[in-house]
Amino acid sequence: MSEGARRLANKKTRSETGLDYVVSAINVLTPFGVRILKEQKPFMPGQEEELRAEFDRVQRMAEIAGANKREISVLQETFMMMKDNSFTIERSAGAALSVVEIFEIKSLLLLLDKVRKLADQVGLPEEFVPGDITDLLDVLDPGKDRLNTFYIYDSFSEKLAQLRSEKKELERQTRREKKKRKNELRAETGLNLTPKFDITVSKSDAKRIEMINEISDLVKSEEDYMSVTYVLAPTEAENQIQKKMDETTAEIEEEELKVREELSQEIHKWAEVLLTACERVGQLDVTLAKALFAKKRNCVRPEIVEEHVLEFEDGRHLQVEEIIDKKGGEYCPVSISLKQGVTCITGANMGGKTVSLKLVGMIAILAQYGYFVPAAKARVGLSNFMQILIGDSQSIERGLSSFGSEMEELKEIMDNSRDRSLLLIDEIASGTNPAEGLALTKSITDYLKQQPFISLITTHFETVTEDKDVVNMQVTGLANADFDRLDKELRYANRRERINIIQKYMDYRLTRVDNNREIPKDALNIAKMLGIDANIIEKAKQYLN
């Protein structure tokens, strides 16, 4: 999937076409999947077979997910529990991992084992199935309890087991000795020490404190403004036992270190298998997320062809569709067929020209990144370069005019375009005077006609489409609207409602037209319906004629 030194699209194009929106909406659950998604590269011309293979994987995953909903749900829950232990796995080469780190590796192994079993149940392709890590799991879980816990068990080392046994015996000896002295002290003085062999006395009880201070077997251990705590003073025999216990504890820690070093080396031996397993889980996570997203948003597998074309039927811009759905509206799908050369989309504002432009970019770029596309069907030839030229608020914030911003981006397009480019240009030169704007638009169109590009331009300059070599796609708009019914709905509506009502009657579909077709007057119709004086509208019609 590498594109080498080539860049398909810049950051703005990825954002404006909606690729970033789709990537953020893909429900990837593992850190491995997140990394793969972040580093994903587009398929470039010459990689058609690799792209078809990717679509095969997504399609197969969609079929498996549809037939095994319960297992897929469990698989996703397993994904959510995974942590990225790649650094720990790599660190095992030259370091003794901590108990916590070994526990995390064991947890990962248990999850990988679960994924492997689920994969076998639903029949996932082998490329998504983690390798068998049972032997390493048995090393870290010698009791084969398969519980999500970890401890340096006695079974890891005979010497460790013996040392721990010795320490427990020393602790028992110390406790027996202290318990004996506690009982003797109670018989002699009536003082009853706690199970921790201490006693706390209020400072207000001066007589009791004075008495305890006279007892040699008790020493002060803590004091605050209200009370004093005394403990049994250690005897020489207890000191000797404690010394032996400290020595044993040091030996235990040394032996535990050896065990951790051995377990770390064992983990290191499996490093390649583990990292490959994590990579496979990440690929599984991403492919499953793509498949589920495609089903949820009604996306289809595009046909990938060698020729440089872009065709689709009933395409939908997913981001706009989501907004319309939330408002309770109905999205009007768009169809278009593009090949090398220049195509212009004309029509009034509110006609959805810019959305159609972005939709073309969305379907092209999603297909090239290996995603199913939002259309009834699509046919896509891969591009070497893709860029959208649309209003740039960041350039304006830097002090450039909208026209200056367009020229800056136009230069970038000219500098980076190559054969099999897809260029999407929205209302070029609309920010300057009409005469110069028309001249510049025509000149740009003439230039693009001579290039091996698919160029799609939205424009208000209708005369650009008089060129027989330029394909004219026109927004249907209000051509088929029931104006009597529309007028009735608008009559008592407020300003915001009127705009929404007009949008409801707009037909955003594109129709290929001949150059001699009458120019639609949607702009005048919209102006009239929004209350502009009838005399102004009539005068405008005269000027238009």
Side-chain angles (χ1 to χ4, degrees):
M1 291 173 61
S2 173
E3 64 173 327
R6 295 183 293 174
R7 183 189 70 178
L8 175 64
N10 61 16
K11 182 177 179 181
K12 179 179 178 181
T13 299
R14 295 194 298 271
S15 174
E16 291 288 355
T17 56
L19 174 65
D20 289 349
Y21 163 81
V22 171
V23 170
S24 66
I26 294 290
N27 190 26
V28 174
L29 302 171
T30 68
F32 321 116
V34 170
R35 184 172 65 241
I36 289 171
L37 205 61
K38 186 177 181 180
E39 297 172 355
Q40 67 178 338
K41 303 293 182 185
F43 293 83
M44 303 298 283
Q47 295 181 307
E48 286 81 5
E49 280 305 313
E50 292 96 319
L51 178 52
R52 293 184 188 110
E54 171 66 9
F55 286 139
D56 285 341
R57 287 188 285 270
V58 176
Q59 186 170 329
R60 175 62 181 146
M61 193 65 66
E63 293 167 355
I64 291 172
N68 301 274
K69 293 181 180 179
R70 188 187 67 81
E71 289 82 0
I72 293 300
S73 178
V74 175
L75 183 64
Q76 289 183 300
E77 290 174 4
T78 307
F79 284 166
M80 287 189 281
M81 292 186 281
M82 286 187 164
K83 294 175 60 178
D84 187 357
N85 302 117
S86 303
F87 176 73
T88 302
I89 294 169
E90 293 167 356
R91 208 173 78 83
S92 66
L97 300 180
S98 68
V99 172
V100 172
E101 288 175 314
I102 297 173
F103 161 70
E104 289 178 343
I105 296 296
K106 180 186 174 184
S107 296
L108 175 63
L109 295 176
L110 290 170
L111 293 171
L112 290 174
D113 190 53
K114 188 173 182 179
V115 170
R116 181 178 177 81
K117 290 174 181 176
L118 286 167
D120 289 341
Q121 287 180 39
V122 302
L124 287 177
E126 189 62 30
E127 62 189 297
F128 295 125
V129 182
D132 189 353
I133 41 76
T134 305
D135 290 346
L136 178 58
L137 189 52
D138 287 343
V139 170
L140 301 186
D141 184 26
K144 299 184 180 180
D145 299 318
R146 298 303 189 249
L147 298 176
N148 192 28
T149 58
F150 180 76
Y151 174 67
I152 300 182
Y153 308 106
D154 290 351
S155 55
F156 284 133
S157 164
E158 290 185 11
K159 182 179 179 181
L160 180 61
Q162 180 182 348
L163 288 169
R164 285 174 173 171
S165 178
E166 292 176 3
K167 183 178 178 181
K168 285 181 180 178
E169 179 56 35
L170 291 171
E171 289 171 343
R172 282 194 291 266
Q173 288 180 27
T174 299
R175 188 158 188 85
R176 282 197 301 267
E177 182 64 25
K178 286 187 174 182
K179 194 171 182 181
K180 177 183 175 184
R181 293 174 57 208
K182 172 187 171 182
N183 293 335
E184 291 175 348
L185 188 64
R186 181 172 57 186
E188 293 174 3
T189 66
L191 295 174
N192 190 20
L193 304 187
T194 70
K196 293 183 179 180
F197 307 106
D198 63 13
I199 185 171
T200 300
V201 183
S202 173
K203 284 188 173 180
S204 62
D205 193 347
K207 186 175 181 181
R208 191 174 178 84
I209 289 177
E210 184 180 352
M211 179 197 71
I212 293 175
N213 285 334
E214 298 295 325
I215 300 173
S216 60
D217 275 351
L218 293 175
V219 293
K220 186 187 299 183
S221 65
E222 292 180 12
E223 181 177 359
D224 57 30
Y225 70 98
M226 291 186 66
S227 61
V228 182
T229 300
Y230 297 86
V231 297
L232 278 174
T235 64
E236 182 59 30
E238 289 173 352
N239 284 335
Q240 290 300 318
I241 293 173
Q242 185 61 50
K243 182 180 178 182
K244 178 63 176 174
M245 197 183 302
D246 292 342
E247 293 170 353
T248 304
T249 299
E251 290 185 72
I252 288 172
E253 291 174 353
E254 185 177 342
E255 190 62 22
E256 286 179 344
L257 175 60
K258 289 181 181 178
V259 170
R260 289 191 288 111
E261 288 173 342
E262 291 170 0
L263 294 177
S264 299
Q265 285 303 307
E266 195 65 30
I267 291 169
H268 173 62
K269 291 177 186 177
W270 287 77
E272 186 174 346
V273 174
L274 290 176
L275 293 174
T276 300
C278 294
E279 177 71 16
R280 287 187 174 189
V281 167
Q283 293 290 355
L284 171 59
D285 186 18
V286 171
T287 307
L288 177 60
K290 281 184 177 182
L292 295 176
F293 180 83
K295 179 176 177 58
K296 178 181 178 182
R297 301 302 296 270
N298 195 25
C299 297
V300 300
R301 174 178 180 163
E303 178 190 357
I304 302 301
V305 297
E306 271 68 22
E307 60 184 305
H308 194 213
V309 297
L310 179 58
E311 303 170 348
F312 57 83
E313 294 179 11
D314 293 338
R316 307 167 343 267
H317 193 284
L318 293 172
Q319 199 167 0
V320 176
E321 182 181 47
E322 182 181 19
I323 294 170
I324 292 174
D325 284 347
K326 287 180 179 177
K327 291 182 177 180
E330 185 176 346
Y331 190 95
C332 178
V334 171
S335 303
I336 198 168
S337 177
L338 302 171
K339 60 183 181 179
Q340 185 171 308
V342 178
T343 300
C344 286
I345 300 178
T346 57
N349 282 339
M350 292 180 63
K353 300 191 301 298
T354 301
V355 174
S356 293
L357 188 82
K358 290 184 176 184
L359 169 61
V360 168
M362 170 175 275
I363 288 181
I365 202 167
L366 284 182
Q368 207 146 333
Y369 270 87
Y371 293 88
F372 283 18
V373 299
K377 60 188 296 188
R379 188 166 172 263
V380 179
L382 304 185
S383 299
N384 273 315
F385 176 73
M386 194 181 296
Q387 186 154 329
I388 189 167
L389 195 165
I390 200 166
D392 189 347
S393 60
Q394 289 183 346
S395 292
I396 294 172
E397 288 167 5
R398 296 204 317 268
L400 292 176
S401 66
S402 59
F403 180 73
S405 168
E406 286 178 342
M407 294 305 102
E408 186 182 64
E409 291 192 60
L410 184 62
K411 182 181 186 306
E412 182 182 350
I413 287 176
M414 301 308 178
D415 289 345
N416 291 282
S417 297
R418 53 178 73 89
D419 67 303
R420 296 179 71 103
S421 287
L422 173 63
L423 306 182
L424 308 169
I425 301 175
D426 186 46
E427 298 285 2
I428 188 71
S430 61
T432 187
N433 73 72
E436 285 185 304
L438 173 58
L440 186 58
T441 302
K442 281 191 170 184
S443 180
I444 291 170
T445 301
D446 288 342
Y447 171 80
L448 293 176
K449 285 190 308 182
Q450 309 304 318
Q451 307 305 318
F453 307 154
I454 294 175
S455 302
L456 181 62
I457 301 173
T458 65
T459 182
H460 275 111
F461 300 125
E462 302 282 351
T463 55
V464 173
T465 63
E466 293 175 355
D467 189 324
K468 63 182 177 61
D469 294 324
V470 175
V471 176
N472 182 14
M473 301 297 292
Q474 206 168 81
V475 178
T476 303
L478 296 171
N480 302 317
D482 183 340
F483 284 97
D484 289 337
R485 184 176 177 184
L486 180 53
D487 284 337
K488 289 177 183 178
E489 286 195 46
L490 289 172
R491 192 167 301 158
Y492 302 108
N494 62 36
R495 180 180 177 183
R496 177 175 294 183
E497 289 172 341
R498 286 199 297 270
I499 292 174
N500 290 335
I501 290 168
I502 293 171
Q503 286 178 332
K504 184 176 71 174
Y505 280 85
M506 289 290 290
D507 187 339
Y508 297 103
R509 289 174 294 179
L510 301 175
T511 306
R512 181 165 176 163
V513 296
D514 297 326
N515 292 326
N516 60 1
R517 176 173 170 174
E518 181 185 355
I519 298 171
K521 303 179 179 62
D522 276 350
L524 297 182
N525 286 329
I526 292 169
K528 179 182 178 182
M529 286 183 287
L530 292 177
I532 301 301
D533 188 277
N535 292 326
I536 294 176
I537 301 298
E538 288 305 313
K539 193 71 173 178
K541 287 181 179 179
Q542 293 175 24
Y543 283 128
L544 188 61
N545 293 330

